[in-house]
Amino acid sequence: MRQIDLTGKRAVVVGGATGIGRASAYALAQAGANVVTLSRRSRAASFDGPSEVAARITHRALDISRREDVVRTFSQLATGGLDIVVLSAAVIEPASAVDADDALWRRHMDVNVDGTFTCVRESIRHMLAAGTAGKVVVIGSISGLVGNPGFAAYCASKGLWVNLTRQLALDCAPRGINVNSVLPGFTMTDLADIYDDETKATIAAAVPAKVWAAPEQIADAVLFLASPLADYVHGVSLPVDGGYVAAGPI
C-alpha cells in the first residue's frame, strides 16, 4: 500500500493558525513537508506532538484582503519553491440576504473570494514560472452546495469556489497542477461558536454520522489531495460532511 510521503515538499497554508488550516498544516508537516502558515495573527499556532514535526512549521502574518501584501508575500515564498498551497482563510457572519448590509457582504467577498483568489492565482503563476507540478487545495464548504438559512454572503462566497475549482482545473491540469476543493460539513472549530449548544446538538442529529467533524478529519482529505495519491484528481469539490449533502433536504 502506498503511503503519503511529502518529505522535501514546500507547503503554504493560508489561514493556518486555527481550525482546519491549523490541522492541515500539522498533517502536511507530519507527512514530511516544510510548511509556512499565513494568517492575520502575528503569532504562530501551538502544536502538540513530536517536536520535529512542529519544527517543520513556520508562520508569517498576512491579511489576504490586502492584495499588494499577498502578491509580495507569495513572491518571497516562491523563491524557495511552492509545491502545495492550501487556502483555508474564511469569514463567516450570520445574515439573510435581506438583512446583510454592504459592509458584511464586502467582508465576505474580500476574504472568501477576492483574497483567496489572489492567493490561488499567485500560487499558480509561480508554479508555472518554476515549471514544477503543484497541488492547490481550496477549503470551501458544503454551504457552496446547499443553502444555509441566515448565511447568504457566506453561501454565495463558497458557492463560487465549486465552479471556479472546475475552471481552474481545466486551465491547470495540462500544465501539471492539480486544483481541487474540500467542502467541510459542520466542523468543531472556533467558527462553530456562532451556534449555541442546543443548536449544535440539533445539527448533529441532522447529520447522518450523528456527530460534528473534528478539524483533523477534514485535514485528512486535504492531505490526500495534496499528495501524489491524487495526481489524477482534478477539479473535484469533495464533501467531507458525515453524509449531510448525500442525505438531501432535512
Side-chain angles (χ1 to χ4, degrees):
M1 181 178 177
R2 294 175 64 190
Q3 302 295 316
I4 294 178
D5 182 2
L6 300 179
T7 301
K9 297 294 185 182
R10 294 145 299 189
V12 175
V13 180
V14 181
T18 60
I20 293 169
R22 177 182 179 276
S24 297
Y26 192 77
L28 294 170
Q30 276 186 311
N34 296 310
V35 183
V36 177
T37 59
L38 302 173
S39 79
R40 285 182 294 183
R41 300 186 181 212
S42 58
R43 297 182 61 184
S46 59
F47 295 94
D48 299 326
S51 58
E52 64 269 19
V53 175
R56 287 195 284 270
I57 305 172
T58 57
H59 179 74
R60 293 181 61 164
L62 176 67
D63 181 350
I64 67 170
S65 67
R66 300 173 63 90
R67 179 186 174 279
E68 296 81 4
D69 291 348
V70 171
V71 172
R72 181 175 61 253
T73 297
F74 274 87
S75 179
Q76 293 167 350
L77 292 173
T79 59
L82 288 176
D83 299 302
I84 299 163
V85 179
V86 179
L87 293 307
S88 185
V91 171
I92 178 170
E93 299 177 55
S96 70
V98 174
D99 296 329
D101 59 25
D102 290 347
L104 181 144
W105 181 267
R106 191 67 260 157
R107 284 192 295 273
H108 283 76
M109 298 304 120
D110 285 345
V111 175
N112 299 2
V113 177
D114 297 342
T116 300
F117 176 73
T118 304
C119 292
V120 170
R121 184 188 62 199
E122 294 305 304
S123 301
I124 293 171
R125 282 178 172 174
H126 288 296
M127 289 175 181
L128 292 174
T132 57
K135 299 287 197 297
V136 176
V137 183
V138 179
I139 306 300
S141 169
I142 59 169
S143 293
L145 295 177
V146 297
N148 188 357
F151 290 89
Y154 182 74
C155 291
S157 67
K158 292 301 183 178
L160 174 142
W161 281 104
V162 174
N163 207 40
L164 188 52
T165 293
R166 299 188 188 104
Q167 182 60 46
L168 288 166
L170 295 179
D171 293 341
C172 296
R175 305 182 186 189
I177 298 173
N178 300 70
V179 182
N180 294 289
S181 293
V182 173
L183 309 184
F186 295 97
T187 307
M188 278 300 183
T189 69
D190 55 348
L191 296 180
D193 292 340
I194 62 176
Y195 299 108
D196 59 30
D197 289 343
E198 182 179 355
T199 303
K200 288 177 182 176
T202 300
I203 290 170
V207 175
K210 300 304 178 189
V211 293
W212 284 56
E216 291 75 17
Q217 292 173 304
I218 311 302
D220 287 342
V222 173
L223 180 61
F224 163 69
L225 290 174
S227 80
L229 297 182
D231 280 351
Y232 204 61
V233 181
H234 294 273
V236 166
S237 291
L238 175 64
V240 184
D241 62 352
Y244 187 86
V245 171
I250 298 177

